[in-house]
Amino acid sequence: MTRLLLPLEHPTATAEHAAEDALLHALKRLPRRVQQVFLLNRLDQLDFATLSARLDLPLSSIERHMNQALQAGRSRLDVLASVAGQWYVRLQSPHVTACERIDFRRWLDADPANLQAFHDTELRWRSLLAPARQLGQDGWYRQGRAALSLGGCSIAMGLGVAALLLFGFWA
């Protein structure tokens, strides 16, 4: 008796790849400056103080951008995840105080759901690595003011050339 061997079909997108694609899409929808801060921290391992100095941004802006990146793609109605994300980002800041660390510990101990939310936030942070690598694969975020779009620069250049041509004809 002969057997008919059929090639195994491989699923086109596993649940893991679908989740990574969703995270990548959410990260791409963030403003370029937020993407840049996130990628410099996540891929180049730059701490908040270094980012602040390098990009000439206040530390509070760095924290806000990092929180935006961490919350990308999450439901805005998930208040507990939002608070856990804010704690996760704040604890990475060089300006976090001992009082804030104590407050964090109290928040964590107040409810098992808080501990679970913080744990989920840590897992989310780890899950953002692969989409971050895809987003920053060409290294655009390492350039000085990468947050400026080329589209805006092209428009400005076009208007400048048009003005020169216009004034050139009048002269």
Side-chain angles (χ1 to χ4, degrees):
M1 187 168 188
T2 53
R3 289 182 161 189
L4 180 61
L5 297 176
L6 297 174
L8 293 175
E9 291 186 26
H10 297 288
T12 55
T14 63
E16 184 177 313
H17 290 340
E20 283 181 10
D21 289 344
L23 285 173
L24 177 61
H25 181 68
L27 289 173
K28 283 182 177 179
R29 289 193 331 246
L30 292 172
R32 293 290 276 187
R33 177 61 77 184
V34 174
Q35 291 178 22
Q36 182 183 29
V37 168
F38 169 69
L39 293 174
L40 284 169
N41 176 265
R42 192 70 179 110
L43 298 181
D44 292 358
Q45 307 290 316
L46 298 181
D47 61 19
F48 288 11
T50 306
L51 283 170
S52 178
R54 180 173 177 172
L55 299 176
D56 194 29
L57 290 172
L59 200 56
S60 60
S61 292
I62 300 295
E63 288 181 31
R64 189 177 65 252
H65 292 334
M66 288 301 296
N67 193 36
Q68 278 182 284
L70 188 58
Q71 300 300 333
R74 275 191 175 168
S75 169
R76 293 184 180 182
L77 301 177
D78 193 352
V79 176
L80 193 56
S82 177
V83 172
Q86 289 170 1
W87 274 119
Y88 190 81
V89 169
R90 182 63 186 157
L91 292 172
Q92 294 180 45
S93 175
H95 290 190
V96 67
T97 64
C99 290
E100 287 174 314
R101 290 184 188 278
I102 291 169
D103 287 343
F104 166 70
R105 192 65 214 177
R106 286 183 183 150
W107 175 80
L108 212 54
D109 293 340
D111 188 351
N114 294 351
L115 178 62
Q116 184 61 45
F118 193 77
H119 177 70
D120 292 345
T121 299
E122 288 178 317
L123 292 177
R124 182 172 182 79
W125 180 251
R126 290 183 193 145
S127 72
L128 288 173
L129 183 58
R133 285 183 178 145
Q134 288 180 345
L135 183 62
Q137 69 187 7
D138 60 357
W140 65 265
Y141 63 95
R142 291 185 180 114
Q143 298 163 1
R145 284 250 178 218
L148 294 176
S149 69
L150 291 177
C153 292
S154 300
I155 291 170
M157 290 290 290
L159 290 174
V161 169
L164 284 175
L165 289 174
L166 183 66
F167 289 126
F169 288 128
W170 291 104

